[in-house]
Amino acid sequence: MSGLKLFRYVAWAAVAVLACVAGALVYFQTTANDNSSALIKPLAAIGGPFELVSGTGETVTDKTFAGKPTVMFFGFTYCPDVCPTTLSELQGWMAELGPDAEKLNYAFVSVDPERDTPDVMRDYVWAFDKRITPLTGSKEQVDAMLKAYRVYAKRVPLDDGDYTMDHSAAVYLMNENNEFVGTIAYGEAEETALAKLKRLIENTAASS
């Protein structure tokens, strides 16, 4: 076996191991916590630095959200069901939190930068709530963030020549240090989702 071929086998094995670890972490988050208000210890394996563009064309990085926990969702503006439903639910959670809603950041990150320009993202996301930051960017910027946050997204061709996007549907909960601490599953009961958001706020207050 040549050295180059051996290197390729080792590289593919490393990718496979990383995918398994990431999948196990996300599975744990989307099953073990779905029915409780508990948050786990911060996981450095999910998340990290990023650089994207807001709906007003400004550069936004992980440092922009520093100091407050962030509620983050990944989707796209052409999404027929999951994204508008989740944004509507997020709108309701913010209303239920009342003044405490200001203690969290909110972000909707596009997985479809080809169609989701900053203007398109702004008009779409702010139709739900202007406190939600619309985030998009170049394909390279978005791909880098999806990889860091272990978000699944795949372009799926349609019969009419158009396309849609398959993507992860969970809402990510990041602490004030931009560390992953849990998820809210798609369709999760409002009571449980609110309990997780309140715990996120309480944990931040306790650590400050």
Side-chain angles (χ1 to χ4, degrees):
M1 182 181 299
S2 69
L4 180 58
K5 186 174 291 185
L6 178 61
F7 174 79
R8 286 175 176 168
Y9 286 148
V10 172
W12 278 112
V15 170
V17 169
L18 179 60
C20 290
V21 171
L25 288 171
V26 173
Y27 174 80
F28 174 77
Q29 289 300 314
T30 54
T31 55
N33 290 327
D34 281 354
N35 296 316
S36 77
S37 61
L39 298 176
I40 64 164
K41 292 182 179 178
L43 287 178
I46 299 177
F50 66 84
E51 182 176 305
L52 294 171
V53 180
S54 74
T56 55
E58 299 171 329
T59 298
V60 174
T61 72
D62 50 296
K63 293 182 175 58
T64 306
F65 294 143
K68 289 201 297 187
T70 300
V71 180
M72 189 175 293
F73 179 64
F74 297 82
F76 65 118
T77 62
Y78 283 68
C79 182
D81 184 16
V82 173
C83 300
T85 298
T86 301
L87 285 168
S88 180
E89 289 177 339
L90 178 57
Q91 190 181 33
W93 301 336
M94 294 163 74
E96 287 294 327
L97 287 173
D100 280 349
E102 306 303 323
K103 298 177 180 178
L104 299 171
N105 300 308
Y106 307 90
F108 179 76
V109 183
S110 175
V111 300
D112 183 19
E114 181 177 333
R115 294 184 294 200
D116 289 345
T117 64
D119 288 350
V120 170
M121 286 289 286
R122 180 195 61 220
D123 293 344
Y124 180 78
V125 174
W126 285 2
F128 292 90
D129 196 302
K130 288 189 175 181
R131 288 173 292 181
I132 305 172
T133 302
L135 292 176
T136 185
S138 67
K139 185 178 187 307
E140 290 75 19
Q141 287 176 312
V142 170
D143 285 347
M145 182 162 189
L146 299 185
K147 182 179 180 181
Y149 285 72
R150 309 293 190 261
V151 174
Y152 166 77
K154 181 181 180 181
R155 178 175 172 141
V156 179
L158 299 175
D159 291 339
D160 61 3
D162 203 351
Y163 69 92
T164 187
M165 298 293 294
D166 278 348
H167 63 90
S168 302
V171 174
Y172 281 45
L173 304 178
M174 312 298 291
N175 69 12
E176 70 276 18
N177 299 316
N178 195 36
E179 297 168 321
F180 179 82
V181 292
T183 60
I184 296 173
Y186 178 64
E188 189 161 330
E190 181 180 15
E191 181 180 349
T192 309
L194 280 171
K196 289 181 179 179
L197 296 177
K198 290 176 181 177
R199 180 65 57 86
L200 190 60
I201 294 170
E202 291 169 1
N203 288 353
T204 304
S207 63
S208 60

